[in-house]
Amino acid sequence: MEPEALPEITVFTCIYCGYTSVDMAGVTGIQYPADIKVVKLPCTGKLDLLYILKAFEQGADAAMVVACQKGTCHHIEGNLRAEKRVQRAKALLDQIGLGGERVEIFFVTGSQGSAFAAAVEEMTRRVREKGPSPLKAVHCHA
């Protein structure tokens, strides 16, 4: 990956704390790597393993979930369901050789724009270490 190329990261958020932290980062001018695609869900508990896999199929180098902090989910335990699905995605990505570190869940409050930015920076660092998704070459030639 060229030094100037930013990894493509798909970010799944709930409409509550997750998306509010994205919005807060923007409103307060917090800088973070910009090549992200945000997908808003009613709750991260609605996240399906297939959504994560589809993100990679569509060219993402990484996928991340930004959920409400544990104990504060607006839908009681949606974020905990999302966490289990992320763990399954990690195991599957490891099995197929893509690498489980390409997906992660982060728990934030809506006022934590800086925590959102730090999460994007963490995922960007991981992708730079690992390199672009090998599925990109397949996706681009398909």
Side-chain angles (χ1 to χ4, degrees):
M1 180 178 289
E2 316 92 53
E4 64 275 355
L6 285 175
E8 294 179 39
I9 301 172
T10 299
V11 181
F12 296 97
T13 72
C14 66
I15 59 172
Y16 299 103
C17 295
Y19 188 74
T20 304
S21 72
V22 176
D23 195 41
M24 185 61 69
V27 167
T28 57
I30 296 170
Q31 299 292 310
Y32 57 88
D35 209 0
I36 63 169
K37 179 165 81 174
V38 177
V39 178
K40 287 194 288 188
L41 301 168
C43 173
T44 55
K46 287 291 197 182
L47 179 69
D48 191 290
L49 178 59
L50 291 176
Y51 299 168
I52 296 170
L53 298 177
K54 193 72 167 168
F56 288 103
E57 183 181 275
Q58 293 178 349
D61 295 303
M64 55 188 276
V65 179
V66 182
C68 297
Q69 289 209 347
K70 292 182 180 183
T72 65
C73 177
H74 289 75
H75 295 277
I76 316 302
E77 293 185 348
N79 55 354
L80 302 180
R81 286 193 300 278
E83 183 177 37
K84 288 178 185 170
R85 291 176 187 142
V86 166
Q87 295 308 317
R88 282 197 291 270
K90 284 174 169 287
L92 181 59
L93 293 179
D94 277 338
Q95 286 176 350
I96 64 173
L98 196 58
E101 62 277 1
R102 290 185 183 272
V103 63
E104 192 61 74
I105 187 166
F106 298 90
F107 300 96
V108 301
T109 64
S111 63
Q112 291 182 309
S114 58
F116 168 75
V120 174
E121 288 172 10
E122 166 65 16
M123 293 308 290
T124 298
R125 181 192 60 74
R126 287 186 193 186
V127 172
R128 285 206 167 125
E129 286 177 3
K130 190 102 172 129
S133 169
L135 294 180
K136 275 191 160 166
V138 174
H139 177 70
C140 293
H141 298 21

